[in-house]
Amino acid sequence: MDPSQGMDMIGDLIIAEGCIASIGHNRDAMSSEPYQVLNAEGMVVCPGFIDIHCHLRQPGFEEKETIATGTRAAARGGFATVCCMPNTNPPIDTGDTVEYIMSVAANEGVVRVLPIGCVSKGRAGSELADLGELSTSGVIAFSDDGNPVSDSSLMRQALEFSRVSGLPVINHCEDLNLSSGGVMNEGAVANRLGFKGMPVAAEERMLARDIELARATEGRLHIAHVSTAGSAALIRHAKEEGIPITAEVTPHHLTLTEERVMSHSGYDTNSKVNPPLRTYRDVQALIAGLREGVIDAIATDHAPHTIEDKMYEFTGAPFGISGFETALGSLMGLVHRGELDLMTLIAKLTREPASFLRRADLGTFEAGTVADVTIFDPNVEWVVDPDNFVSKGRNTPLAGSVLKGKVMAVIAGGEIVYSNSAIRFN
Ligand code: DOR
């Protein structure tokens, strides 16, 4: 299945010299050649998934994740390309740090890593980082993710630069005055648990501001982890007006609600994430937004933390979900329940993020492009066991859940970087 070409067929995918060579019924023609054969009968074979939003934690937080462990977890989740956020230590706000990440990724990573640079120096939110230097060193976008760009003038300057450079500004929309002290969605569940809530207005107010700034500057605005029905409505309206805006949504915001925060023992800090899990109505609006093209892509926001970090009372625990390894299984739930068709799901993980990156060579099976391939079994059921994660981050609210749909192999740059023991080579 290749949404970039509207392709849905049964056949053989031939890879030669690291590139897609051909697709068809030509395996017999290959029998005399020394080819390695992966038997993907009954499985889906599609372009390698692209994640435009994840946290690899290196440099600075290697106890949570490294580029080595994070890219292996990404591969296990079906991703052949990941874009890493700059909330590291030091943050990715100079060309040197970009080069460091690229060199570690080249030596220790197993999938393609594309770094995102900071909007502000030190992610401190007051002074613009050297966006020119960052773009020359190869970042694919700018973001202070984890923090919003609260200063409207700074956001405006970043979007002005975006218009010139063509690189998007990804904002984590959160009005900190409105969300201050909040640890989960504002509403009935927070009231019941006695926790301070984060209102939907905290996200929507900054999003509305950013839409006005994108209108004025014509810079490329991208909204990270959209979580509310109101945000989807604002983005829909902005797109209808021709404003240059794109948006992403996470697997957890598409499949879980605030109810997940409650557990039999009280609460689960593994459900604490920013933006917070919202309501059923929000989830339905996000799925509809995805289906209708209001939300362009699915991104994991893989945010690994150590067990010790999360073993806290709810208010003190850090926000974040380790998302690579459960992404496909969670998302296939939408397909199995008839809420999203398989071709659209794959497009949101391949064609759409490639288009966001303006990379015609990624997210496609077009002949001659680099061989990034994801193979998954849509029907296999498995139980999530964080102890088996490749990621150092075991922080998932899905421990013990049964998911239907599992990644079986990933080829990145022509190399098999992950294969499940159940897949046959013959
Ligand atoms: O839940 C989150 N975790 N949201 C963010 O915006 C940042 C991320 C992190 O870095 O842990």
Side-chain angles (χ1 to χ4, degrees), residues 55 57 87 145-146 172 225 273-275 301 303 305 319-321:
H55 300 269
R57 305 297 192 206
N87 58 341
D145 182 63
H172 162 130
H225 42 52
V273 66
N274 189 9
D301 194 6
H305 291 289
F319 291 99
I321 289 175

Side-chain angles (χ1 to χ4, degrees), residues 48-390:
F49 297 160
I50 302 168
D51 188 1
I52 58 173
H53 185 151
C54 75
H55 300 269
L56 296 180
R57 305 297 192 206
Q58 190 175 356
F61 302 105
E62 286 84 356
E63 73 284 4
K64 295 178 193 278
E65 194 78 290
T66 63
I67 290 170
T69 59
T71 56
R72 279 166 181 79
R76 207 165 182 229
F79 298 93
T81 300
V82 298
C83 304
C84 58
M85 281 294 175
N87 58 341
T88 48
N89 186 20
I92 312 177
D93 64 351
T94 64
D96 284 352
T97 309
V98 177
E99 272 169 37
Y100 167 79
I101 287 166
M102 286 177 166
S103 107
V104 176
N107 293 322
E108 297 169 25
V110 298
V111 303
R112 190 176 297 102
V113 174
L114 305 175
I116 296 167
C118 293
V119 168
S120 68
K121 280 193 182 144
R123 286 178 65 252
S126 47
E127 213 185 319
L128 212 58
D130 190 337
L131 305 189
E133 175 183 311
L134 287 168
S135 61
T136 318
S137 61
V139 301
I140 55 90
F142 303 104
S143 182
D144 276 356
D145 182 63
N147 293 340
V149 179
S150 297
D151 181 326
S152 305
S153 165
L154 204 69
M155 188 63 185
R156 179 180 174 181
Q157 292 170 56
L159 284 167
E160 294 281 6
F161 183 79
S162 163
R163 192 194 55 231
V164 177
S165 65
L167 297 180
V169 180
I170 305 175
N171 202 13
H172 162 130
C173 289
E174 178 182 358
D175 181 321
L176 297 175
N177 291 313
L178 287 172
S179 65
S180 173
V183 291
M184 65 174 295
N185 185 44
E186 183 176 277
V189 180
N191 289 346
R192 186 135 109 229
L193 290 168
F195 293 150
K196 188 155 190 298
M198 305 163 91
V200 295
E203 177 170 316
E204 293 160 7
R205 203 193 88 95
M206 189 170 285
L207 172 51
R209 177 205 72 175
D210 286 351
I211 287 170
E212 289 319 307
L213 293 174
R215 188 203 305 276
T217 58
E218 294 174 17
R220 291 180 63 195
L221 171 65
H222 179 81
I223 307 303
H225 42 52
V226 172
S227 76
T228 79
S231 292
L234 284 165
I235 296 163
R236 181 190 302 270
H237 192 67
K239 285 193 167 181
E240 282 165 5
E241 293 196 310
I243 293 167
I245 183 171
T246 51
E248 71 191 32
V249 61
T250 69
H252 47 272
H253 290 112
L254 287 168
T255 55
L256 303 176
T257 68
E258 57 182 0
E259 307 278 335
R260 263 291 157 156
V261 173
M262 288 187 292
S263 75
H264 53 277
S265 55
Y267 54 71
D268 179 8
T269 59
N270 292 317
S271 303
K272 182 177 175 184
V273 66
N274 189 9
L277 302 176
R278 304 282 189 185
T279 66
Y280 179 75
R281 181 179 154 263
D282 294 303
V283 168
Q284 291 307 307
L286 295 173
I287 297 169
L290 197 62
R291 240 182 352 235
E292 292 158 20
V294 170
I295 299 173
D296 301 83
I298 298 171
T300 65
D301 194 6
H302 174 73
H305 291 289
T306 65
I307 291 173
E308 294 73 27
D309 291 334
K310 281 285 192 179
M311 197 106 82
Y312 240 90
E313 85 283 7
F314 199 82
T315 309
F319 291 99
I321 289 175
S322 180
F324 280 149
E325 293 167 75
T326 54
L328 192 262
S330 299
L331 294 165
M332 280 304 296
L334 299 172
V335 175
H336 293 305
R337 291 192 291 274
E339 296 178 299
L340 199 65
D341 69 86
L342 186 56
M343 190 62 107
T344 304
L345 172 63
I346 295 170
K348 300 293 181 180
L349 291 162
T350 58
R351 183 189 70 203
E352 297 303 319
S355 147
F356 168 77
L357 295 169
R358 297 191 171 162
R359 291 280 302 254
D361 57 329
L362 299 181
T364 181
F365 276 162
E366 218 150 315
T369 59
V370 64
D372 287 357
V373 181
T374 296
I375 301 174
F376 65 89
D377 187 326
N379 293 316
V380 83
E381 290 190 315
W382 58 287
V383 180
V384 178
D385 180 358
D387 289 341
N388 290 334
F389 277 9
V390 175

Side-chain angles (χ1 to χ4, degrees), residues 38 43 76 328 374-378 380 406-410 418-423:
L38 260 126
M43 298 180 195
R76 207 165 182 229
L328 192 262
T374 296
I375 301 174
F376 65 89
D377 187 326
V380 83
K406 191 164 199 189
V407 174
M408 302 306 280
V410 172
Y418 170 69
S419 62
N420 185 283
S421 55
I423 197 149

